[in-house]
Amino acid sequence: MAAPRDGLAFCVFPTAIGHCALVWRSPAHVVGSTLPHGSADGTRDAVRRWYPAAHESSPEGVVVDAVSAVTALLGSGAGDLSGIDLDMSEVPDFDRRVYEVVRTIPAGTTLTYGDVAARLGSPGAAQAVGQALGRNPFPPIVPCHRVLAAGRQVGGFSARGGRRTKLRMLDAEGVHLEHPTLFDV
């Protein structure tokens, strides 16, 4: 079942780190996404809180491609999410600019909050960049997990699991910030 012409639809789908969701408006403009919330039902409940008008639907067309790309990224770190069309019409201008910069960070690489601020032409805005990423309505399509604190420290991460989730996502992309222990090899 497709989304109504001007309505919102969402789908919940399994990934290597848990059930994620995409929310879109017809024909295929993604208006939101989410990382796992503990279970498929937990993710579904989160989407319904954030988008009460959205109904659950089977993805079609480019949304199927977006689901595949997110699944690949979270599994092997190799999914390309740059072609997913995001509807940022409800996103504040500064946040939109941050998300546009962050979307250019290739898998397997990172920037710091300060690097993102400098690329925006606002070198003193590292904290504001962090706040914008904390409000990111498009994880992992806007790959906020690739943005680190100064000194390549993990920094914050607002998704369920916090820094452990961020480290796991980065590890899948080949970015290892912490040395593995005997039990990790």
Side-chain angles (χ1 to χ4, degrees):
M1 173 200 239
R5 187 155 195 78
D6 292 320
L8 292 176
F10 74 94
C11 66
V12 175
F13 55 96
T15 73
I17 66 168
H19 284 82
C20 293
L22 288 179
V23 183
W24 69 93
R25 181 181 329 279
S26 273
H29 300 285
V30 174
V31 299
S33 55
T34 185
L35 292 170
H37 282 263
S39 67
D41 286 337
T43 301
R44 191 172 284 112
D45 291 345
V47 170
R48 288 182 174 139
R49 275 192 314 276
W50 300 329
Y51 301 95
H55 74 279
E56 193 162 6
S57 181
S58 297
E60 296 179 353
V62 297
V63 177
V64 171
D65 296 339
V67 166
S68 294
V70 169
T71 302
L73 177 76
L74 296 176
S76 66
D80 179 11
L81 309 181
S82 64
I84 298 173
D85 183 26
L86 299 179
D87 178 350
M88 293 199 205
S89 61
E90 302 294 318
V91 174
D93 183 61
F94 180 80
D95 292 12
R96 180 189 50 75
R97 291 178 37 232
V98 168
Y99 303 157
E100 288 169 352
V101 168
V102 171
R103 284 192 86 185
T104 68
I105 306 170
T109 61
T110 61
L111 292 176
T112 65
Y113 298 107
D115 294 335
V116 173
R119 289 186 181 193
L120 291 170
S122 303
Q127 186 175 19
V129 166
Q131 291 168 349
L133 292 175
R135 294 185 293 270
N136 178 9
F138 305 106
I141 301 166
V142 171
C144 52
H145 64 283
R146 295 181 190 150
V147 182
L148 305 174
R152 286 187 47 91
Q153 297 299 308
V154 176
F157 197 58
S158 59
R160 183 178 173 91
R163 74 184 238 102
R164 278 192 0 239
T165 299
K166 186 173 188 173
L167 287 168
R168 186 170 175 191
M169 292 171 71
L170 288 169
D171 280 345
E173 294 181 15
V175 176
H176 307 292
L177 298 176
E178 295 182 348
H179 297 292
T181 67
L182 175 64
F183 301 103
D184 295 326
V185 281

